[in-house]
Amino acid sequence: MSQDRSVRAMQEIGRINTFFPILPSLGNHWAAMRPWEGRVIGLNLHLTTLTAGLVRELTLGGGTWVVSAANPRTTDAGAVELLRNHGITVYTGGDGEDRHSQVLSHRPELLVDVGFELIQRALGAQSSVLAAIEITRSGITRLRAPGHVPFPVINLNDGRLKDAVENRHGVGEALWQAVARLTGMHLSGRRVLILGYGPVGKGIAAYARAAGTTVEVVERDAIRRLFAHYDGYPTPSLSDGLSRASIVVTATGRAHALTAEALGGARDGAVLVNAGHGGDEIDVAGLEDIAIRKDNVGPQVETWHLPGGLRLTLLGGGHPLNIVLNSGSPEPVLLHFGLLGLTLQWLASEPALPDGETIVPEHLERAAAEHALRALGAHHS
Ligand SMILES: NC(=O)c1ccc[n+]([C@@H]2O[C@H](COP(=O)([O-])OP(=O)(O)OC[C@H]3O[C@@H](n4cnc5c(N)ncnc54)[C@H](O)[C@@H]3O)[C@@H](O)[C@H]2O)c1
């Protein structure tokens, strides 16, 4: 049974690597360079098959790799089996603190973290850590809280690649895949309203337009509203846009961007989708308060009946829908993982860096972009 799981994980990694072989090509590079020879590296990551694919390639560059599961709910048993079969120590039991202590007991010199939990735990006086990488926005927020971090931490979230590729194209493509999968809707001819025109909203708008919808944008910031205008999208007021949209998407990162009160003016039958942070951009609790009835139309699809006969359908309970459905191409994540490996390689050479936060340097993003272009067969040197 457990062998089946690791075989399935291996097959999935093989399939993904066939069409975008950035990690195997980096693996060859690390096998030749051996940048982590004699080093111990501690990783606190979501243990998905993609992560297992990354760690397998990293180990080709030498070193001792110790891994903890960032969250038991995102841990794939096949990925864990695969890593253990590969001789890597993986901690999945106990609570987060137990797992982090177990990783730190190996006295790692380099750390990689999602959420600044492993790094936080390594801040003690006897830390062996020379440098660390934080991947997530929430981890960077914690890194920036007052208090001294006695080693450099590379911020992998705020470089140029993540906004442009993962946030814009990754979410833009994945969100509409998720909507189509849940509802069976063909998007052509529909009218879409997008709240927020940051990288995420911009990608969602572009992919909606490519699918044949009419897109309008509501954006609070005048500069970004002007960008939306020149990108060719009308920028109505919220109430005006809501009155005619058949699909409404939030991408603001703000709680209650779409209040129950505003939704009272929505078009009957409108579909509501969140692509932003957390589950509160659409005021679901407020809808609950005023709704007369809620029908479960299908998995992750609920239709709310409001006073006056208005019906609104909410997808994914108001949580970021592409994440709820794990939809979209893995390529942006693989690119980010490639950048993570190149950053670890750079840190192993012990560059002179100040303690605390450093944004990932552009030369590493450029190297990751070149590996990605090569994997896509689009590299011209
Ligand atoms: N679904 C995913 O997989 C995924 C991936 C990356 C980021 N995110 C999240 O998506 C959200 C947007 O990301 P981003 O990088 O585009 O952020 P951003 O902050 O650059 O852009 C958000 C935009 O929304 C606008 N805005 C804020 N409140 C508004 C309101 N009430 N009405 C209209 N516009 C409003 C802001 O002016 C801003 O331009 C963030 O919460 C981010 O964490 C989700």
Side-chain angles (χ1 to χ4, degrees), residues 170-217:
V171 182
E173 183 222 23
L175 187 89
W176 295 116
Q177 262 186 21
V179 170
R181 204 195 309 167
L182 281 187
T183 64
M185 268 196 283
H186 199 289
L187 293 173
S188 297
R190 309 259 178 183
R191 191 177 284 274
V192 172
L193 182 69
I194 295 166
L195 273 66
Y197 201 65
V200 171
K202 197 170 184 170
I204 291 167
Y207 281 79
R209 175 189 266 168
T213 67
T214 300
V215 179
E216 299 189 339
V217 170

Side-chain angles (χ1 to χ4, degrees), residues 43 83 92-93 106-107 131 149 170 206 235 240 305 334 355 363 366:
L43 309 172
L83 289 174
T92 56
H106 293 257
R107 304 206 47 80
V149 177
T235 54
D240 192 19
H305 296 258
L334 296 174
D355 287 349
H363 69 91
R366 196 168 298 285

Side-chain angles (χ1 to χ4, degrees), residues 137 162-163 166-167 171 195-201 218-221 224 251-254 256-257 274-277 281 320-323:
R137 155 79 26 232
K162 187 156 192 287
D163 259 3
E166 193 167 334
N167 296 358
V171 182
L195 273 66
Y197 201 65
V200 171
V218 170
E219 166 59 63
R220 252 180 7 188
D221 177 71
R224 284 188 163 170
T252 67
R254 304 292 186 290
H256 297 181
N274 175 31
H277 185 72
E281 289 205 23
L321 192 65
N322 59 308
I323 297 174

Side-chain angles (χ1 to χ4, degrees), residues 28-363:
N28 288 339
H29 164 77
W30 293 323
M33 306 282 294
R34 304 288 288 176
W36 302 292
E37 205 72 83
R39 302 264 187 208
V40 180
I41 304 102
L43 309 172
N44 182 49
L45 295 170
H46 297 289
L47 295 182
T48 65
T49 43
L50 293 184
T51 310
L54 166 70
V55 176
R56 253 179 16 149
E57 303 296 345
L58 289 171
T59 57
L60 296 174
T64 303
W65 298 80
V66 189
V67 184
S68 61
N71 180 348
R73 292 180 59 189
T74 58
T75 300
D76 180 281
V80 174
E81 293 286 336
L82 188 65
L83 289 174
R84 288 189 175 142
N85 292 347
H86 206 68
I88 298 161
T89 305
V90 186
Y91 295 110
T92 56
D95 62 19
E97 287 192 3
D98 296 336
R99 296 191 293 274
H100 303 147
S101 302
Q102 284 167 319
V103 169
L104 295 174
S105 71
H106 293 257
R107 304 206 47 80
E109 295 155 288
L110 300 174
L111 297 181
V112 176
D113 204 357
V114 287
F116 204 71
E117 290 179 351
L118 178 61
I119 298 174
Q120 183 91 57
R121 197 137 189 93
L123 297 182
Q126 273 106 49
S127 171
S128 52
V129 177
L130 300 175
I133 297 172
E134 172 55 51
I135 300 180
T136 64
R137 155 79 26 232
S138 56
I140 296 301
T141 305
R142 297 182 70 190
L143 164 66
R144 290 177 180 168
H148 181 64
V149 177
F151 46 78
V153 181
I154 306 301
N155 171 353
L156 217 64
N157 188 71
D158 291 306
R160 290 170 65 195
L161 283 179
K162 187 156 192 287
D163 259 3
V165 180
E166 193 167 334
N167 296 358
R168 182 165 166 195
H169 291 284
V171 182
E173 183 222 23
L175 187 89
W176 295 116
Q177 262 186 21
V179 170
R181 204 195 309 167
L182 281 187
T183 64
M185 268 196 283
H186 199 289
L187 293 173
S188 297
R190 309 259 178 183
R191 191 177 284 274
V192 172
L193 182 69
I194 295 166
L195 273 66
Y197 201 65
V200 171
K202 197 170 184 170
I204 291 167
Y207 281 79
R209 175 189 266 168
T213 67
T214 300
V215 179
E216 299 189 339
V217 170
V218 170
E219 166 59 63
R220 252 180 7 188
D221 177 71
I223 296 174
R224 284 188 163 170
R225 195 155 68 241
L226 192 70
F227 290 167
H229 169 85
Y230 280 110
D231 287 345
Y233 306 116
T235 54
S237 67
L238 177 61
S239 58
D240 192 19
L242 276 177
S243 68
R244 51 180 177 261
S246 53
I247 307 174
V248 183
V249 184
T250 51
T252 67
R254 304 292 186 290
H256 297 181
L258 208 45
T259 61
E261 193 190 349
L263 283 169
R267 172 174 161 175
D268 185 36
V271 174
L272 311 178
V273 186
N274 175 31
H277 185 72
D280 57 4
E281 289 205 23
I282 301 170
D283 181 11
V284 180
L287 274 181
E288 189 109 46
D289 284 345
I290 58 168
I292 296 165
R293 197 174 96 225
K294 179 171 71 171
D295 295 339
N296 281 320
V297 178
Q300 307 287 356
V301 186
E302 295 166 323
T303 295
W304 302 74
H305 296 258
L306 304 186
L310 178 64
R311 289 161 305 168
L312 298 173
T313 295
L314 179 71
L315 303 187
H319 295 280
L321 192 65
N322 59 308
I323 297 174
V324 171
L325 262 70
N326 192 21
S327 57
S329 162
E331 286 185 18
V333 176
L334 296 174
L335 169 62
H336 206 55
F337 279 177
L339 177 61
L340 164 62
L342 289 166
T343 307
L344 267 179
Q345 178 185 344
W346 178 63
L347 289 178
S349 70
E350 299 191 32
L353 289 168
D355 287 349
E357 179 182 356
T358 292
I359 306 269
V360 61
E362 185 158 326
H363 69 91

